[in-house]
Amino acid sequence: IVRQIDETEMPYSPDREWFTVVASIPSTTRLKNADGDTKKFASDGQGDSNEQDSNKNRSSLAGQTAKKFCFTFVVFKKGTYKIGAAHDEIGRENDELEHEVTLTQDFALLDREIKFEELIAFLPQYREIMHENEALPSTAAFGVQWYDSVSFCRWLSEQVGLPEEEQAYASPTSIELESLPREITHSADWAPRDWPINISRGGFRLPTETEWEVAARAGSRTAYGFGDDVNHLKHFGWFEDNSQRRVHAPKELRPGVRGLIDVHGNVY
């Protein structure tokens, strides 16, 4: 019953603190473009290959059985929050000064980490990382480049039917970005160095540092979202003492008070 609820689409509603979106992805991952470069074809969700190549590859996947990916988001309201650590908190770092922040708009955060099977549906080369580390498709994804994370957000926005004008991150191949400098590293030379973002748009994106802490704390002012007792950490997060030094699948431990899972452990 729980899985059935998790996999039932539930549109956003202002009177509810969560919603679930569903993306149906072809069971066969995207093919390489005409240059034989999967990375370029998959880089921004629309692809860096020309339109003819893109349409050809998309057509090759038509009619295949789709795999359903379900994503439940927890909504956090705009307002003023206190973040940072108390001066006497054990393990406090020098850059964790307590201060107030004001969020000017609501935001929603995925209740779990992205899994390898979801990332591989977009970028097949991460299958190699998964195998090299003896991980499983259901394992939380790791070893992901920041630019690939941004591209995944753009791609996922497309999969759930959001138009380009709702994309939070601008397309790296759009005309308005041609004048921006590109990254100099080979693995990201297709991407703009300062990737423009509009956080007021509804497309998927990475959370800001402030949004992440507001969500992880969920109103708490303790060392952890569940309190100060480190002995309870094993129930909420995978870390050195209980993880067997491996990454686990999301939703194996308890959620915090707002329903977020693995904010205190597993992958960074």
Side-chain angles (χ1 to χ4, degrees):
I1 295 177
V2 173
R3 174 173 293 183
Q4 182 179 356
I5 294 175
D6 283 346
E7 296 180 354
T8 299
E9 187 168 14
M10 186 66 68
Y12 167 75
S13 175
D15 60 353
R16 193 174 57 249
E17 295 182 334
W18 60 275
F19 61 93
T20 300
V21 296
V22 177
S24 295
I25 313 298
S27 58
T28 302
T29 53
R30 293 188 174 202
L31 303 178
K32 295 181 179 180
N33 65 3
D35 296 328
D37 190 342
T38 304
K39 179 62 190 304
K40 285 187 176 181
F41 177 65
S43 63
D44 75 333
Q46 289 184 335
D48 283 316
S49 58
N50 60 40
E51 184 176 358
Q52 182 177 359
D53 291 331
S54 299
N55 290 336
K56 179 180 179 180
N57 283 308
R58 289 192 180 97
S59 298
S60 68
L61 300 178
Q64 296 184 12
T65 302
K67 184 173 181 60
K68 184 170 69 172
F69 293 137
C70 304
F71 304 89
T72 296
F73 289 83
V74 179
V75 179
F76 294 86
K77 296 297 184 179
K78 63 182 179 181
T80 299
Y81 297 87
K82 181 175 286 188
I83 63 175
H87 71 278
D88 58 350
E89 181 178 298
I90 297 176
R92 179 183 182 274
E93 301 290 341
N94 291 331
D95 62 351
E96 295 182 300
L97 181 68
E98 276 192 305
H99 62 285
E100 287 190 343
V101 294
T102 298
L103 300 179
T104 58
Q105 62 183 32
D106 300 349
F107 72 97
L109 192 66
L110 185 63
D111 69 344
R112 58 168 175 82
E113 296 154 321
I114 293 293
K115 295 180 284 189
F116 264 118
E117 62 180 340
E118 295 160 343
L119 180 64
I120 290 171
F122 170 54
L123 290 176
Q125 61 263 35
Y126 279 99
R127 187 185 305 276
E128 182 177 347
I129 294 179
M130 180 182 71
H131 290 323
E132 287 177 350
N133 291 275
E134 299 182 346
L136 300 172
S138 59
T139 300
F142 56 88
V144 185
Q145 292 187 31
W146 184 87
Y147 287 104
D148 288 345
S149 297
V150 170
S151 298
F152 177 84
C153 289
R154 280 188 49 84
W155 172 77
L156 188 59
S157 297
E158 290 183 352
Q159 304 312 303
V160 300
L162 291 177
E164 179 63 31
E165 54 267 26
E166 279 299 308
Q167 289 278 11
Y169 297 104
S171 169
T173 56
S174 61
I175 297 176
E176 63 268 21
L177 296 185
E178 288 182 351
S179 60
L180 292 181
R182 301 275 167 156
E183 282 295 344
I184 60 176
T185 58
H186 176 69
S187 61
D189 59 8
W190 52 270
R193 186 173 304 173
D194 297 309
W195 202 317
I197 180 174
N198 185 338
I199 65 173
S200 67
R201 293 180 175 180
F204 299 117
R205 61 177 174 85
L206 301 174
T208 67
E209 183 176 355
T210 295
E211 289 171 335
W212 193 96
E213 183 169 345
V214 166
R217 286 192 173 279
S220 69
R221 293 303 308 149
T222 50
Y224 302 97
F226 55 81
D228 285 314
D229 192 346
V230 70
N231 292 315
H232 294 318
L233 182 56
K234 62 185 178 183
H235 301 300
F236 295 89
W238 295 112
F239 61 110
E240 187 175 17
D241 291 351
N242 69 343
S243 66
Q244 298 84 47
R245 294 181 178 272
R246 64 180 178 85
V247 179
H248 291 252
K251 298 192 174 183
E252 289 186 352
L253 296 178
R254 299 178 187 177
V257 294
R258 286 298 310 277
L260 299 179
I261 300 166
D262 285 333
V263 295
H264 293 305
N266 220 13
V267 297
Y268 284 107

